[in-house]
Amino acid sequence: MKGFGGRRPRYCLTLVSGMVECLCFAGVLFGWASLVFVLKEDGYFGQYCEESSNSTASAPECSRQDEQFSLVFTIGSFLNNFMTFPNGYIFDRFGTTVTRLLGIFLYTTGTLLVAFSSAAFSEMLFPAMCCISVGGILLLITNMQVGNLFAGHRSTVITLYNGAFDSSSAVFLIFKVLNEQGISLRTSFLALSMCSVIHITRTFLLMPRSRIPYPLPEKFTYGHVNCGKENSYNVEKFERIKDEANQSKKENETDSALPQEGLAQSFKSCVLSWLFFWHLMWLSIMQLRHYLFIGTLNPTISRLANDDPDLVSKYTNAFAMTQLCGVLCAPWNGVIMDRHKGTPLAPGETEREVDLRSSVMSLFVTALQCVCFSVCASVPVLPLQYLTFALQVINRSFLYGGNAAFISMAFPSCHFGKLYGLIMSLSGVLSLLQYPCFALVKGVLGGDPLYINITLTGLTLLTFIHPIYVYIQCKKSAEKKAEQAVCQGTILAEASF
């Protein structure tokens, strides 16, 4: 941050306001377990409950109601991922302002749909949660570029924003608590929709029209209100000049084991690389594990608590409270990735190669966390779920923050929006498996998810392939550069004779 001068207060205000935006709005969908508790009390999808065939049972059979709530979350979480690719294209093509205005429109529409829904119109939850989900991810995408303003802490800022995105799921816990105090969901969601004024104000005062480039040009300024004109340095032109310089430099170098950054690495070559494929698998498997856990949390706790409403409320609140810690956990992953910043590079070594090498530890730790979380979630002991909640929020904050940071360092910045969107979209397709898994548990497995949990735990072991692959590629690249250095040294020595 050295040398920012008078721009430093604006940079810091952009950073803080972006974190508040992600923390309070962007990822509220993932507080679904808290919202479902209130929706059930208000009678949403109540028509799917049936009188139990067991004459001694006092409560009706509501498994079909649970399926409807699970389907709402499945579709919303799927679109949260799947629509990220077209959203990323919109961001890369049209810039920040257009993308944010679209996101604000969708988000506001979604909150208003929930506000004016009722038990008689429960189906309004489907389009409402879809709009909130897609609008929220658009806010996150446009905020992650703020990390480019702080080059020495870029990964830390990106992971911090993703942690705030995760923690925003606690907003629905606040709605649940307010509902218990007599404040209706309609009032809460109307208040949430009115906050769109804040998003619009921030769009025009603290965000660029196009994008924040990386690395940051000298005297870079941004914002619509900046002495009447934004000095954005024509980001596309800046990146084109930088890519041409990289291409010119590459023509004089031999190929390395890692894909080169610059004009030569097209969007297609990035997508077809093994680096992209294994990162996709790493994200998709762990994301499926988290989505299934969140989507089935309410019925799972109900089963373990023998349908005791007080216990279910207690554990639902505990889960939602742990989500607040996501914003505290995520930056540690960024610290792991940024730990090499400020240290001198080895001869012939690029900053990108060092970034990738430092990411190996982050990728491995995230995979290990997921295995531990999955094992705890598989044990049908109610008190153990406190530990499961803690491991889940730590792993989720590492997962999404690490995903965005890895894409930003492994591939050219000009493709970030498209690549981030594509990988989230493809992983979202796999996340659709959560609904058939839920239906399988409710049907064939008689409500016991043990076998599904064991299967998913086995799948999470495959995520260790990604850090191993990155480590091997970094090692090959380093060995190749060492061989080149030896050859050049030999040639110079022979020339001196």
Side-chain angles (χ1 to χ4, degrees), residues 171 253 361 449 452 462 490:
V171 170
E253 296 178 353
M361 177 63 72
I452 291 292
L462 298 177
T490 303

Side-chain angles (χ1 to χ4, degrees), residues 286 363-373 395 460 463-464:
M286 286 191 276
L363 298 172
F364 178 84
V365 169
T366 305
L368 182 62
Q369 290 170 349
C370 190
V371 172
C372 295
F373 150 64
N395 182 235
T460 56
T463 58
F464 287 103

